[in-house]
C-alpha cells in the first residue's frame, strides 16, 4: 500500500537576487515499510524536499508553488499549520542533520523526549517518562534511566544523534525521515547509526527516507534510491539495480568518485568535472549537460523527462543507453 506519493513537487525561494528553483518537479512513491535513499550533492534539493513534505520550508522566502504530497491518500499541502503539527512527530518523524542545533541546550533530554508524547498521545508524565527511558534503551543509550535527566552537552555526538532518533520514534510514526544524520560523525559512529536505523525499521515496520550525499551509505540500508541533481530526480531505481545498471551520467560520476575497498593500485579518484548549475536558473535543457561527456545536441535543446527504461528503473537522460554501454565495457 502506498504510504507517501509526491507528485510534481516544486519549491521555490523568492529572494532579492531572484527566484531559487530549489525543487523542480520531484515525483516518487514510498510504500508502507519501504526505505528510500535520496542522494545528491549539496544544493541538489534533498533537504528542501524533506522540509516540503513536513511543511517546514521557511516562509518567506520559501514556498511550495506546485504539486501534491499525498500521505496515506491525503494531500498535506491542503493542511493548515495546526493540522500539520498533528502530523509532525506523530505520523512522520524527522531526524535533523545537526543534533546540537536540533536539541535544546538548556533542557534535559528527558524533558525534550516526553514533550511530543504528551502533546500527541496525552500520556501522563510518568507514562511518558517510562516510554522515553525505553526509547533511550532501544536506540542504544547505556544507563538510560540515569541519562534521562542529562543535558545535550553531556552526550557524545553519536549519542546525541541517537537521542534525536529516539525523539523521532516517540509516537511510533509510520514514516521516519533522516536528513543526513551521520554527516558530522566519524566513520565508525556512522556505521552504528546506519545499523541502528536498519534494525529499527525491521523491528517497528516503519518506512524510512534517508537523505545523504554518500551512495556508499545507502548501499546496505535502503530498498531503492532517488538520485537528485539541480532540484530534480535524474535516476530512481532499486538499490541493487542502480549499482548494477547505472543509467545516468551523474550517478555514474558519483559512483566513480567513491573509493573502492578492493582497489590495489594508487590510481586517483575520478571527480565530476565542472560545477553544479546556479539554482536561480530553470533551463529548458538538461541541467547536467555542461558537465556531461555524453551530451549531444538534444541535451542542450530539451529537458529530459523521467521515464521508465526497465521495471522500477526510471531515468531522465537522452543518453542512458550510452552510459550503460560504457559501464559494461569498463567491467569487461
Amino acid at each position: 500500500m502506498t504510504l507517501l506519493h509526491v507528485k510534481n513537487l516544486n519549491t521555490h525561494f523568492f529572494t532579492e537576487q531572484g527566484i531559487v528553483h530549489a525543487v523542480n518537479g520531484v515525483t516518487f512513491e514510498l510504500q508502507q515499510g519501504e526505505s528510500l535513499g535520496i542522494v545528491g550533492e549539496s544544493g541538489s534539493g534533498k533537504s528542501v524536499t524533506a522540509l516540503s513534505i513536513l511543511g517546514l520550508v521557511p516562509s518567506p522566502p520559501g514556498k511550495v508553488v506546485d504539486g501534491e504530497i499525498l500521505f496515506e491518500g491525503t494531500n498535506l499541502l491542503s493542511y493548515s499549520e495546526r493540522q500539520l503539527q498533528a502530523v509532525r512527530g506523530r505520523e512522520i518523524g524527522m531526524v535533523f542533520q545537526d543534533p546540537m542545533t536540533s536539541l535544546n541546550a538548556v533542557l534535559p533530554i528527558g524533558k525534550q523526549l516526553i514533550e511530543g508524547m504528551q502533546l500527541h498521545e496525552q500520556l501522563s508524565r510518568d507514562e511518558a517518562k517510562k516510554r522515553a527511558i525505553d526509547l533511550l534503551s532501544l536506540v542504544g543509550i547505556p544507563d538510560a534511566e540515569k541519562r534521562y535527566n542529562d543535558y545535550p552537552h553531556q552526550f557524545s555526538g553519536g549519542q546525541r544523534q541517537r537521542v534525536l532518533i529516539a525523539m523521532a520514534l516517540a509516537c511510533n510514526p509510520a514514516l521516519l525521515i533522516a536528513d543526513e544524520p551521520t554527516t558530522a560523525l566519524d566513520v565508525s559512529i556512522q556505521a552504528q547509526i546506519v545499523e541502528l536505523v536498519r534494525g529499527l525499521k525491521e523491528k517497528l515496520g516503519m518506512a524510512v527516507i534517508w537523505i545523504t550525499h554518500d551512495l556508499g551509505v545507502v548501499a546496505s540500508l535502503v530498498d531503492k534510491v532517488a538520485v537528485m541533481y539541480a532540484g530534480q530526480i535524474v535516476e530512481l531505481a532499486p538499490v541493487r539495480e542502480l549499482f548494477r545498471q547505472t543509467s545516468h551520467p551523474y550517478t555514474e560520476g558519483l559512483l566513480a568518485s567513491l573509493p573502492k575497498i578492493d582497489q590495489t593500485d594508487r590510481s586517483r579518484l575520478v571527480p565530476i568535472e565542472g560545477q553544479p548549475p546556479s539554482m536561480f536558473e530553470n533551463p529548458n535543457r538538461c541541467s547536467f549537460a555542461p558537465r556531461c561527456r555524453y551530451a549531444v545536441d538534444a541535451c542542450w535543446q530539451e529537458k529530459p523527462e523521467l521515464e521508465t527504461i526497465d521495471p522500477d528503473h526510471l531515468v531522465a537522460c537522452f543518453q542512458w543507453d550510452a552510459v550503460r554501454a560504457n559501464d559494461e565495457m569498463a567491467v569487461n
Side-chain angles (χ1 to χ4, degrees):
M1 180 179 175
T2 301
L3 177 68
L4 177 69
H5 189 182
V6 176
K7 295 182 180 180
N8 192 37
L9 179 66
N10 289 266
T11 303
H12 296 170
F13 289 85
F14 298 86
T15 71
E16 292 181 357
Q17 292 75 32
I19 300 174
V20 178
H21 301 83
V23 178
N24 300 308
V26 165
T27 297
F28 65 86
E29 289 187 37
L30 187 68
Q31 307 301 313
Q32 289 183 345
E34 189 177 37
S35 53
L36 169 71
I38 301 181
V39 180
E41 293 172 278
S42 296
S44 61
K46 308 182 303 296
S47 295
V48 177
T49 298
L51 294 174
S52 299
I53 292 171
L54 283 170
L56 292 176
V57 174
S59 178
K63 183 180 180 181
V64 176
V65 297
D66 195 14
E68 292 182 303
I69 301 171
L70 302 177
F71 181 73
E72 295 182 331
T74 304
N75 188 6
L76 296 182
L77 296 180
S78 67
Y79 275 22
S80 65
E81 177 61 24
R82 185 170 183 177
Q83 288 174 310
L84 284 172
Q85 287 177 356
V87 171
R88 298 177 196 134
R90 184 175 186 178
E91 303 292 339
I92 304 175
M94 186 157 182
V95 182
F96 293 93
Q97 184 171 345
D98 185 357
M100 276 310 288
T101 57
S102 301
L103 293 169
N104 191 324
V106 299
L107 290 179
I109 59 101
K111 188 169 184 179
Q112 297 182 59
L113 267 168
I114 67 173
E115 183 179 11
M117 303 179 210
Q118 291 180 303
L119 173 66
H120 293 301
E121 301 193 5
Q122 289 77 51
L123 296 181
S124 68
R125 188 176 184 83
D126 289 342
E127 291 172 328
K129 180 178 179 179
K130 182 179 183 305
R131 183 186 290 186
I133 292 171
D134 289 343
L135 281 168
L136 290 174
S137 298
L138 180 66
V139 298
I141 299 294
D143 299 321
E145 190 166 1
K146 294 181 180 178
R147 305 303 305 273
Y148 177 85
N149 290 312
D150 285 350
Y151 290 82
H153 72 272
Q154 295 174 280
F155 292 81
S156 68
Q159 288 177 329
R160 285 194 291 267
Q161 201 60 275
R162 290 170 184 265
V163 170
L164 278 184
I165 293 172
M167 292 176 67
L169 298 177
C171 298
N172 299 316
L175 171 61
L176 175 70
I177 301 175
D179 185 10
E180 302 202 43
T182 61
T183 298
L185 306 177
D186 64 58
V187 176
S188 61
I189 303 300
Q190 281 186 25
Q192 292 175 21
I193 297 297
V194 169
E195 187 60 36
L196 170 64
V197 172
R198 180 167 53 230
L200 291 172
K201 173 187 175 297
E202 294 173 357
K203 183 174 183 178
L204 303 177
M206 63 185 176
V208 174
I209 295 177
W210 186 281
I211 297 170
T212 181
H213 61 273
D214 189 349
L215 270 170
V217 169
V218 301
S220 61
L221 176 65
V222 302
D223 300 314
K224 60 184 182 182
V225 181
V227 179
M228 289 192 69
Y229 184 79
Q232 307 165 55
I233 292 178
V234 296
E235 187 162 9
L236 175 62
V239 63
R240 290 180 181 271
E241 175 74 6
L242 187 89
F243 281 84
R244 187 180 67 86
Q245 287 272 44
T246 304
S247 302
H248 194 281
Y250 178 60
T251 311
E252 181 187 58
L254 290 178
L255 289 172
S257 67
L258 291 175
K260 309 294 190 297
I261 195 170
D262 58 349
Q263 188 168 313
T264 55
D265 59 22
R266 296 174 62 85
S267 59
R268 293 177 177 272
L269 297 177
V270 181
I272 301 174
E273 297 293 337
Q275 298 293 327
S278 169
M279 298 306 288
F280 287 108
E281 302 176 5
N282 187 21
N284 294 317
R285 58 163 171 80
C286 175
S287 297
F288 191 65
R291 308 174 71 183
C292 182
R293 58 176 173 156
Y294 300 97
V296 295
D297 288 346
C299 305
W300 296 93
Q301 298 167 1
E302 185 181 350
K303 180 183 290 187
E305 299 295 331
L306 202 62
E307 63 174 351
T308 302
I309 57 171
D310 281 325
D312 301 320
H313 196 153
L314 291 80
V315 176
C317 181
F318 296 124
Q319 290 287 86
W320 63 267
D321 50 349
V323 178
R324 283 193 175 183
N326 182 69
D327 288 346
E328 289 172 3
M329 288 176 59
V331 171
N332 296 329

